[in-house]
Amino acid sequence: MKVDVGQLLFVLNSSTRSLMPAQVDEVVVSKTMRGETVQHVLMLTNGKKLILEKLGSPWFRELSDAKAYLLSEAEKMIDVVVDSAKEESEKHFDVPSLVLEPGYGLKPDSPNPQEQHTQQLTVDLGDGRKARVSIPEELSIENTAG
C-alpha cells in the first residue's frame, strides 16, 4: 500500500456511520533484526491521531471508492431484508410469494407515468373510500355513450 505524508484518506467510522477525513501526518519505519514495519499516523479533523494499520474499519483514498463500498454494503443489507421477508411469507402464508426480478418496479430513468399519455379516473372502492388511478391510453375504453 502506497500512502504518503500529506495524503488525504477517508476512514469509515462504524460507530457514528460516517466518513472521517484524515491526513497522513507521519510515516514511521522501524527496522529490526526480525524485519521492517511501517506505520502511518493519521491526523483527524478533531486533532486526534490514529495508526492506519491498527484500524479495524475500512478506509479509502477516494470518496468515489467509499461511496461504491457503502452502496454495496447497503445493497447486501437490503437483500437480507428482502430474502427474510420472502422466507417468512412462504413459511406463514399459503400463497406464492412475489418474485423480485431485476427491473421490478420503476427505475429512476423510467418515464414518469404522468408524462405518458394516461387517463385519470377516480374509482369508488366502497365504504366511502375512493382511489385515483392512471390508465395508459392504450388500455382505456372510449366512452361510446355520446
Side-chain angles (χ1 to χ4, degrees):
M1 121 184 89
K2 180 77 169 126
V3 180
D4 293 321
V5 172
Q7 186 173 354
L8 187 62
L9 301 177
F10 300 94
V11 178
L12 183 62
N13 184 339
S14 56
S15 63
T16 62
R17 299 176 194 249
S18 63
L19 281 174
M20 301 182 304
Q23 189 172 35
V24 180
D25 189 52
E26 60 183 299
V27 177
V28 180
V29 179
S30 175
K31 293 182 181 183
T32 67
M33 296 290 286
R34 294 176 301 279
E36 182 177 293
T37 60
V38 178
Q39 288 188 335
H40 298 82
V41 180
L42 304 180
M43 176 72 73
L44 300 176
T45 56
N46 61 6
K48 291 185 180 179
K49 290 187 176 185
L50 298 172
I51 305 294
L52 180 62
E53 287 73 16
K54 293 183 180 180
L55 288 176
S57 53
W59 56 274
F60 310 93
R61 290 186 175 106
E62 303 287 333
L63 282 173
S64 59
D65 294 337
K67 182 177 181 177
Y69 174 83
L70 291 168
L71 286 171
S72 171
E73 291 300 304
E75 187 174 13
K76 288 177 192 174
M77 185 206 57
I78 290 167
D79 288 343
V80 168
V81 170
V82 169
D83 290 344
S84 175
K86 182 179 181 219
E87 289 172 12
E88 285 294 309
S89 68
E90 291 171 349
K91 180 179 173 183
H92 288 68
F93 302 109
D94 191 25
V95 292
S97 61
L98 295 175
V99 177
L100 297 179
E101 297 176 0
Y104 177 80
L106 288 178
K107 296 179 186 175
D109 58 347
S110 295
N112 184 341
Q114 298 298 328
E115 294 173 4
Q116 298 174 355
H117 299 287
T118 60
Q119 179 181 5
Q120 293 285 325
L121 294 176
T122 302
V123 179
D124 187 351
L125 300 173
D127 295 331
R129 296 181 301 160
K130 295 185 179 185
R132 190 193 261 142
V133 295
S134 298
I135 300 177
E137 188 176 288
E138 59 270 4
L139 297 178
S140 65
I141 301 172
E142 292 185 27
N143 186 356
T144 57

